[in-house]
Amino acid sequence: MKYVSARVQGRVQGVGFRYFTQHTAMSYDIVGWVKNEDDGAVAFEAYGEDDQVDRFLEEIKKGPSRFAKVSEMDVNKLSGEPEYTSFNVRY
């Protein structure tokens, strides 16, 4: 199992990025959360099977549409097993 946190920068707010991230995570059976940051970035934590998390991260790099643009994505491995039961949008 893989547990990661990430911070995505670029044109990622106001373009449906959080909901795209949530939908993509659910399609890969990943649990965690996603939220907008005050500085215009989007942050998330994701937990799931190693290969599923890797595929999920590749999809997130592409973004939800031509209106979004991921310029940078910093991913950090976390340790432990979180107690998430779903993937939620946080406000």
Side-chain angles (χ1 to χ4, degrees):
M1 299 295 280
K2 186 179 273 190
Y3 182 24
V4 299
S5 68
R7 184 173 160 77
V8 183
Q9 296 178 331
R11 191 178 326 125
V12 293
Q13 289 192 13
V15 293
F17 203 90
R18 287 175 299 165
Y19 298 101
F20 164 73
T21 301
Q22 180 185 41
H23 181 266
T24 304
M26 292 180 349
S27 72
Y28 286 106
D29 293 323
I30 291 171
V31 296
W33 56 264
V34 61
K35 70 175 183 174
N36 282 345
E37 296 285 303
D38 292 338
D39 66 357
V42 171
F44 64 85
E45 286 188 7
Y47 180 74
E49 296 288 339
D50 290 14
D51 61 331
Q52 297 292 73
V53 171
D54 292 341
R55 289 185 194 137
F56 163 75
L57 293 172
E58 287 302 315
E59 289 293 319
I60 297 307
K61 285 180 191 174
K62 296 176 188 174
S65 69
R66 62 186 174 95
F67 300 108
K69 169 118 175 76
V70 175
S71 61
E72 189 175 331
M73 185 164 87
D74 297 317
V75 179
N76 297 296
K77 261 190 164 173
L78 301 174
S79 60
E81 292 185 25
E83 296 184 13
Y84 304 130
T85 57
S86 61
F87 198 96
N88 298 307
V89 174
R90 291 187 176 176
Y91 299 94

